[in-house]
Amino acid sequence: MTEDRPEQSATLERTQERSREIERELTVSPGAFRLLTGDRPTGDLHIGHYFGSLANRVTIQDQGVATVIVIADYQVITDRDGVGPIRDRVYSLVADYLAAGLDPERTTIFTHSAVPALNQLMLPFLSLVTEAELHRNPTVKAELEATGGRAMSGLLLTYPVHQAADILFCKANLVPVGKDQVPHLEMCRVIARRFDERYGRANPAEPVFPAADALLSQSGALILGTDGTKMSKSKGNVIELKMTADETAKALKKAVTDSDRHITYDPVNRPEVSNLLTVAGLCLDKDPRVLADEIGDGGAGMLKKVVTEALNERLRVHRERRAAYAADPAYLESVLAGGNARANAIADATLTEVRTAMHMQY
Ligand code: TRP
């Protein structure tokens, strides 16, 4: 991410505070929330996704919150030329969602390309933001920089508006995201507010769109790759959910550590060792410092043994279920078809409200 400007960090602080408040409200009145979040189908999910978001989505679903998950296939082509093996990637996501415990009876899983009315919201929404606002978005800028000299596409520049359509088509008021998505959430709130100011219903107490809040992951425990740097498939430092126990053991055997035999949790000076402790800690529900003390002079060998066993045990059921789903493509297709049908019904109803508010009901 680019350097935070003062108003951005003020926004982040406010968002963090509100996010903590919501965590409390969620346990008291889960029925007051509709949650939307999603993923770009650019590859297979890995343990960073699992501990960073997937497990949490299941917890919130199980608390009784209406949950909608978007597989953001159009977002794949914001900063790359082709869609890649998108069909396989979409169904790979669906398999991991189901294996993790998202229940297609309660949770709507859909691809946004399959929902025309959602995409049509983009037109009125684009009228509500200025070109200067779009150019200011720090996450879009960072994504452009990461492409190494590509020209900005119209879709990359405007995708936060498209993402607002993902959120608002179902009137979601809660969006679990990482810190990098906070500027998009801010834009989504602006769009919702301006829509009602400009085109909204006669009664301002009954806005068409709610103001969506971000739910930031509180742990802040960012998992790194097996070499201690940011996870990235191209660097080969990722442990994917679909890997076997043996593949996981092999990947962890190659994990980078350091020459100090005595294991300590020290993320600043020993990022690689500390990252392995973090992963093991998440799997075992244990403080990584306590784990470090337990391993003590056991060295990197013992640390790797602990993390391998913990991770393979933690993912065992997920992987068994995932393999069963992956072997049944017809079922995965029926889950997505059902989710897309439900998303279309919701989007059609919202678009009708939008057209009515805009006096475009013919
Ligand atoms: N932009 C998100 C990402 O790259 C994916 C996404 C698409 C999303 N639409 C969304 C997240 C709506 C939250 C809400 O991870």
Side-chain angles (χ1 to χ4, degrees):
M1 215 171 134
T2 44
E3 201 56 38
D4 286 355
R5 288 175 309 179
E7 79 260 24
Q8 270 169 33
S9 44
T11 304
L12 185 62
E13 242 169 66
R14 206 178 339 108
T15 309
Q16 275 162 339
E17 201 172 303
R18 176 78 188 119
S19 189
R20 279 188 289 269
E21 230 173 79
I22 289 170
E23 295 225 330
R24 286 190 294 273
E25 287 173 29
L26 271 176
T27 55
V28 188
S29 44
F33 294 94
R34 174 171 267 182
L35 176 147
L36 180 127
T37 189
D39 301 292
R40 294 182 193 195
T42 53
D44 296 308
L45 293 185
H46 51 61
I47 58 170
H49 297 114
Y50 185 83
F51 290 111
S53 57
L54 196 47
N56 198 35
R57 291 176 192 174
V58 178
T59 306
I60 296 176
Q61 165 199 269
D62 291 345
Q63 280 178 318
V65 175
T67 301
V68 184
I69 308 284
V70 59
I71 299 178
D73 48 2
Y74 275 138
Q75 252 186 44
V76 170
I77 48 171
T78 51
D79 60 356
R80 55 183 84 193
D81 290 328
V83 295
I86 193 141
R87 237 189 105 75
D88 290 349
R89 286 174 173 171
V90 165
Y91 287 113
S92 168
L93 282 180
V94 177
D96 271 321
Y97 293 161
L98 299 178
L102 288 175
D103 168 7
E105 294 296 317
R106 288 179 284 163
T107 290
T108 301
I109 299 168
F110 77 102
T111 41
H112 60 189
S113 69
V115 186
L118 179 159
N119 290 287
Q120 193 170 328
L121 293 176
M122 183 85 171
L123 286 172
F125 286 3
L126 278 171
S127 77
L128 299 168
V129 295
T130 67
E131 186 223 353
E133 284 171 324
L134 291 169
H135 278 289
R136 266 204 298 272
N137 186 307
T139 303
V140 170
K141 278 194 214 163
E143 285 177 36
L144 181 66
E145 272 162 34
T147 64
R150 263 187 82 105
M152 175 88 89
S153 75
L155 189 61
L156 178 56
L157 182 65
T158 56
Y159 97 82
V161 182
H162 194 253
Q163 185 157 317
D166 289 343
I167 296 166
L168 296 177
F169 94 98
C170 66
K171 304 194 179 188
N173 58 1
L174 189 59
V175 187
V177 284
K179 204 173 126 180
D180 66 317
Q181 300 285 307
V182 169
H184 301 349
L185 241 295
E186 219 27 54
M187 177 158 283
C188 178
R189 294 164 66 89
V190 164
I191 288 171
R193 182 164 38 83
R194 286 186 192 158
F195 183 88
D196 277 293
E197 282 164 5
R198 247 184 244 180
Y199 310 122
R201 295 196 258 238
N203 179 4
E206 235 186 85
V208 176
F209 294 113
D213 281 308
L215 185 64
L216 293 167
S217 70
Q218 299 296 350
S219 73
L222 181 69
I223 301 182
L224 302 170
T226 50
D227 58 356
T229 71
K230 191 170 175 324
M231 274 204 245
S232 148
K233 195 168 170 126
S234 59
K235 288 193 271 184
N237 64 0
V238 170
I239 296 176
E240 289 168 350
L241 297 178
K242 69 164 198 217
M243 282 182 173
T244 63
D246 279 351
E247 287 166 343
T248 304
K250 240 182 241 159
L252 284 167
K253 207 169 201 157
K254 281 192 306 191
V256 177
T257 50
D258 55 41
S259 54
D260 186 348
R261 246 197 100 67
H262 186 72
I263 298 302
T264 53
Y265 183 74
D266 179 359
V268 173
N269 298 307
R270 306 182 73 184
E272 304 92 349
V273 163
S274 303
N275 181 54
L276 295 178
L277 287 165
T278 299
V279 173
L282 286 166
C283 295
L284 299 167
D285 201 12
K286 252 189 182 175
D287 187 327
R289 288 171 201 81
V290 174
L291 268 177
D293 286 345
E294 285 171 12
I295 298 168
D297 287 326
M302 171 85 100
L303 170 61
K304 287 184 181 182
K305 184 169 177 296
V306 168
V307 67
T308 301
E309 280 172 11
L311 188 57
N312 279 338
E313 180 51 29
R314 174 66 188 255
L315 294 180
R316 191 171 49 79
V317 173
H318 180 98
R319 284 169 164 167
E320 282 167 11
R321 297 176 51 157
R322 189 190 196 288
Y325 287 125
D328 190 355
Y331 178 67
L332 295 179
E333 283 168 20
S334 76
V335 166
L336 192 53
N340 283 340
R342 233 183 298 166
N344 269 295
I346 298 169
D348 288 345
T350 302
L351 185 59
T352 298
E353 278 182 61
V354 163
R355 286 174 171 148
T356 306
M358 297 179 78
H359 307 286
M360 293 178 174
Q361 193 67 314
Y362 311 110

